[in-house]
Amino acid sequence: MFNFYHKTERMKAYRMIRLVAMAVVVSAVAACQPTGGEQQSTTFTPKEVFTTPERPAGQTDVLELRAEPIDTVRMAIIGLGMRGSGAVYRYTNIEGAKVVAIADVVPEKVKRANETLVKNGRPAADEYTSEEGWKEICERDDIDLVYVTTNWSLHTPIAVYAMEHGKHVATEVPAALTIDECWKLVNTAERTRRHCMMLENCNYDFFEMATLNMAQQGLLGEIVHAEGAYIHDLRSLNFNENGYWNMWRLEHFKERDANLYPTHGFGPIAHAMNLHRGDKMNYLVSVSSNQFGMTKYAKDKFGEDSEYAKQKYIKGDMNTSIIKTAKGKTIMLQHDVTSPRPYSRIHMLSGTKGFVLKYPQRGIALEPNAHSFLSDEEMEEMLAEYEHPITKEVGEKAREVGGHGGMDFIMDYRLIYCLRNGLPLDQDVYDAAEWSSIVHLSEESVKNNGMPVQVPDFTRGAWDKLDKVTYYTEGE
């Protein structure tokens, strides 16, 4: 049961967030308006920092792309760290998927992955441990899907190379780090007619799937505003000299001040708001706090005279970005992985008829009594009533196999299901490009004191060709 104290404190926190967000937008818009006695305009044109190139001759969009069905999806998993090793296990539990190749530059990880396959009744996969073993994999003729779970910098290069060699691609998040890389993914997918899906697992969590269904069934009315976040204290992992991470994320903290990891919070709300299926992002404004947490942690762990403590970190502790859509909706995203606070990826949808929230607690509020949350019992009844058909189908198995509570399994199951049935994937290359573009767009806005930055239209005008997000099933 939500008690009065929790509800009151939570609403105070959200009122403060909204006030800060409004201040960011007002400041950014004011910077684009005339001053003095000139007539104040209510509209403005955000800066087009990144132009939208003409679609190359011979290319067409890949909205709702359907490829030839594949009875048994022969796949390669490249990168066997925390995400990749988990995927190896999950795919031993998915019918119609066969892991035929595995790759990592650390031989011990490859060996452990093969032990997982054999232990779970699957044949051992071919092993690759060289720096460019992924190229050899992409050049093989007996692989249908390349599954990329490497460090961020390799996501786009591997995805592009794989599609150019006739493979479908599923890549970890973010799919790209720059606008140029986003366009490479889009153009390669359109030219090769190969699927390119970003592995945004949070779209498949049970609450997010249920609230997507609520939104699509009209329970929340018109979605007007949404919020998402990735707030996760990762300092111990970022500074772990002996772990899986190899401290490669520190390089990004040294070089970029941006929302470096936007897609976990953004993906579920992007689908609930039908982005590039009837609406699109128009512009973004972004600001960051100064950097405090990384330096303090480095001093505490390694000492004030250590290399880590003296290193300059560019990335501010908290980044807040505001997005305005073509239909006048707003979205707030936050990113903070350096503050000592509980995990949250905020999933909030606010519509003309109702409101849903996940983190710090789950809550649903609906007309005519939207001033208060449903009781726990009422909320569970509502979630059961609106459980998404996909989680109804595989939710029990997903909880058994696991992977962030089961959402990773659902994501992998859906990927293989769609490839086997020749269906459009739940997430397409435009999702991958749009969601990932926030990294570079937020960086550009932060550099210019919250300047509004126009979001490229990666569909090149086809954003209203569809009217909603659809997770297809056999026969559709």
Side-chain angles (χ1 to χ4, degrees), residues 78-379:
I78 302 175
L80 298 168
M82 298 172 73
R83 289 297 179 93
S85 59
V88 171
Y89 168 69
R90 292 194 301 276
Y91 276 106
T92 65
N93 292 275
I94 296 177
E95 182 181 356
K98 182 179 180 182
V99 179
V100 300
I102 50 179
D104 197 286
V105 294
V106 180
E108 291 78 10
K109 295 180 183 179
V110 177
K111 180 182 177 182
R112 283 196 294 270
N114 253 337
E115 289 172 351
T116 297
L117 289 173
V118 174
K119 179 182 178 181
N120 289 277
R122 297 297 184 99
D126 295 338
E127 300 182 356
Y128 294 81
T129 58
S130 67
E131 288 283 349
E132 294 196 339
W134 58 270
K135 288 187 177 180
E136 297 176 50
I137 286 175
C138 294
E139 292 165 1
R140 288 175 55 158
D141 295 327
D142 62 342
I143 290 175
D144 306 301
L145 171 68
V146 173
Y147 194 99
V148 185
T149 51
T150 63
N151 68 73
W152 299 345
S153 64
L154 285 173
H155 291 178
T156 296
I158 295 176
V160 168
Y161 198 76
M163 286 187 282
E164 288 175 339
H165 287 80
K167 312 299 187 287
H168 299 298
V169 175
T171 181
E172 263 298 342
V173 303
L177 295 174
T178 67
I179 300 300
D180 181 60
E181 285 190 338
C182 291
W183 281 116
K184 286 180 180 179
L185 293 176
V186 168
N187 283 329
T188 307
E190 289 184 349
R191 185 176 70 254
T192 63
R193 317 305 288 178
R194 296 292 87 187
H195 288 297
C196 180
M197 172 179 167
M198 185 166 64
L199 295 165
E200 185 38 74
N201 55 344
C202 294
N203 279 54
Y204 297 93
D205 209 350
F206 292 85
F207 187 86
E208 284 81 344
M209 291 287 281
T211 53
L212 171 66
N213 195 29
M214 291 177 188
Q216 292 189 326
Q217 297 297 325
L219 183 69
L220 306 178
E222 186 84 8
I223 304 299
V224 176
H225 176 71
E227 297 174 10
Y230 187 69
I231 297 171
H232 191 184
D233 184 1
L234 297 178
R235 293 171 299 169
S236 62
L237 288 174
N238 287 339
F239 284 107
N240 184 354
E241 296 177 300
N242 301 310
Y244 276 107
W245 294 53
N246 298 323
M247 303 179 78
W248 56 264
R249 289 198 183 200
L250 279 185
E251 297 306 312
H252 295 280
F253 283 84
K254 296 174 186 178
E255 298 169 0
R256 310 185 77 175
D257 190 4
N259 184 330
L260 295 177
Y261 205 64
T263 70
H264 282 345
F266 190 55
I269 60 180
H271 272 193
M273 298 179 78
N274 296 310
L275 294 186
H276 86 247
R277 289 98 165 172
D279 200 359
K280 71 178 181 73
M281 295 186 284
N282 259 6
Y283 67 90
L284 169 151
V285 298
S286 185
V287 295
S288 291
S289 72
N290 288 350
Q291 186 281 127
F292 302 93
M294 294 291 280
T295 296
K296 180 183 183 302
Y297 185 86
K299 288 179 178 180
D300 292 344
K301 182 171 183 177
F302 301 104
E304 293 197 7
D305 294 327
S306 66
E307 175 187 350
Y308 297 124
K310 292 180 178 179
Q311 172 65 51
K312 182 178 180 181
Y313 302 102
I314 301 298
K315 170 73 176 71
D317 288 8
M318 170 63 82
N319 175 272
T320 300
S321 301
I322 308 293
I323 298 165
K324 187 77 175 283
T325 76
K327 289 192 172 181
K329 317 295 183 64
T330 54
I331 300 165
M332 185 192 76
L333 298 178
Q334 292 188 312
H335 177 268
D336 183 347
V337 295
T338 61
S339 298
R341 54 185 291 182
Y343 176 88
S344 173
R345 62 174 189 265
I346 305 174
H347 174 68
M348 191 277 274
L349 301 173
S350 181
T352 56
K353 293 171 60 177
F355 170 93
V356 297
L357 171 70
K358 180 181 179 183
Y359 296 104
Q361 294 173 284
R362 298 185 305 170
I364 299 173
L366 302 170
E367 290 280 26
N369 298 309
H371 59 278
S372 61
F373 285 109
L374 300 178
S375 68
D376 285 358
E377 182 179 355
E378 292 170 326
M379 179 177 65

